[in-house]
Amino acid sequence: MPAARVRRRGRTTLLIATAAVLGTVAGTCVGYLVQADREPTELPSLSQPVVAQAKGEGPEPLSAVQDRKVKTDGDLRKLLIERPKGARDGVYATGDQGGWMSLAEYASGFTRPTSAFHHLIGDEFRRAAVTSWRVGSTRSVEIRLVQYRQEEDTAAGSRTESQRSWTEENSTTRSWPIPGTGDGMAYVHTEPARNEGRLPVYSAEAHAWRGDVVMEVWVSDTKPIPKETIMDLAERQMGRL
């Protein structure tokens, strides 16, 4: 019995596929021809409608009292609180020539001055205004306003946070927030520093910042320092910033 013939479908399939491709190409060409015969469609305008300018005078510029940047960019010494009547000059006295603390002087007050000096440069230290006075025979007060450029980092806030962390590690220290300063704190050290041949010295301090200026208040005495003393100084000084 002869073998059944198998229908060859390859040629037919190829013809159908070729016709489909030619049909697609022809349709595309016709589409281009139709589009070429049409009038060009006008594109919408890229310009925006003119907005009418508001009339009337603009707002008045802030006064020096309202704009703290005007105050802190001026003579920083003028923002220091005045010493009380009857007080005597301390190590630093404000005046035409005094009232400034150099970077080297400021760094010398740290435990490791050389390291502090380099850190202060990195923190973009700008300047420091300082005043100090003595009350009675034993109490000393020193207040500093330390300003940073803060072009790369908010160094003022970082410095205050660092000082607070170091101070609060001391278990013999009492602390209170300074009203109106966010994270400003005042500290009273209940244990005095003792050096052989000298009277024991009690101390209190306060730290806060506003903008690019850090406030530091330091009080020392041979007698315990009340909370009210350090809080009053800190609140009055921050009120000037």
Side-chain angles (χ1 to χ4, degrees):
M1 181 175 178
R5 296 179 64 185
V6 179
R7 185 179 179 184
R8 298 172 65 89
R9 301 178 58 186
R11 182 178 179 81
T12 304
T13 303
L14 178 60
L15 291 173
I16 292 173
T18 303
V21 171
L22 291 174
T24 302
V25 173
T28 303
C29 293
V30 170
Y32 278 117
L33 291 172
V34 171
Q35 184 65 30
D37 288 338
R38 291 179 178 174
E39 292 293 331
T41 304
E42 185 178 355
L43 295 175
S45 174
L46 296 178
S47 62
Q48 298 296 320
V50 178
V51 179
Q53 186 174 359
K55 297 181 179 180
E57 297 181 0
E60 291 291 332
L62 294 175
S63 65
V65 176
Q66 297 171 307
D67 188 352
R68 65 170 305 277
K69 192 66 176 176
V70 174
K71 295 192 297 183
T72 57
D73 276 348
D75 190 340
L76 205 59
R77 297 172 299 177
K78 294 182 179 179
L79 297 182
L80 292 162
I81 60 174
E82 297 180 1
R83 68 184 188 183
K85 292 182 178 180
R88 305 187 308 279
D89 287 343
V91 176
Y92 296 93
T94 56
D96 293 338
Q97 302 299 324
W100 294 112
M101 179 181 282
S102 69
L103 172 58
E105 286 179 297
Y106 183 62
S108 67
F110 289 79
T111 306
R112 294 186 294 174
T114 302
S115 177
F117 184 89
H118 291 294
H119 280 297
L120 288 166
I121 292 176
D123 287 341
E124 299 177 285
F125 174 93
R126 179 181 175 185
R127 56 183 178 168
V130 58
T131 185
S132 62
W133 61 81
R134 295 179 62 85
V135 178
S137 58
T138 57
R139 177 167 296 180
S140 295
V141 175
E142 183 173 311
I143 300 177
R144 306 171 185 170
L145 297 180
V146 186
Q147 190 171 35
Y148 296 85
R149 297 189 186 281
Q150 300 204 142
E151 295 175 3
E152 299 294 335
D153 192 14
T154 54
S158 299
R159 275 288 163 190
T160 304
E161 179 64 27
S162 176
Q163 182 65 36
R164 182 172 65 181
S165 299
W166 180 85
T167 305
E168 291 178 349
E169 291 177 358
N170 192 335
S171 61
T172 61
T173 298
R174 300 176 63 195
S175 62
W176 304 269
I178 303 172
T181 64
D183 55 359
M185 297 291 291
Y187 306 91
V188 170
H189 304 292
T190 57
E191 285 294 322
R194 302 178 186 277
N195 292 303
E196 187 176 354
R198 296 184 180 181
L199 293 173
V201 177
Y202 292 86
S203 62
E205 58 192 272
H207 304 271
W209 66 287
R210 183 163 292 152
D212 56 359
V213 177
V214 173
M215 175 204 73
E216 300 177 2
V217 181
W218 306 88
V219 182
S220 62
D221 201 338
T222 56
K223 297 173 290 187
I225 300 167
K227 166 190 173 182
E228 292 74 20
T229 298
I230 189 67
M231 289 292 286
D232 174 65
L233 290 168
E235 289 186 57
R236 287 196 292 121
Q237 182 58 74
M238 287 303 295
R240 309 254 344 229
L241 298 178

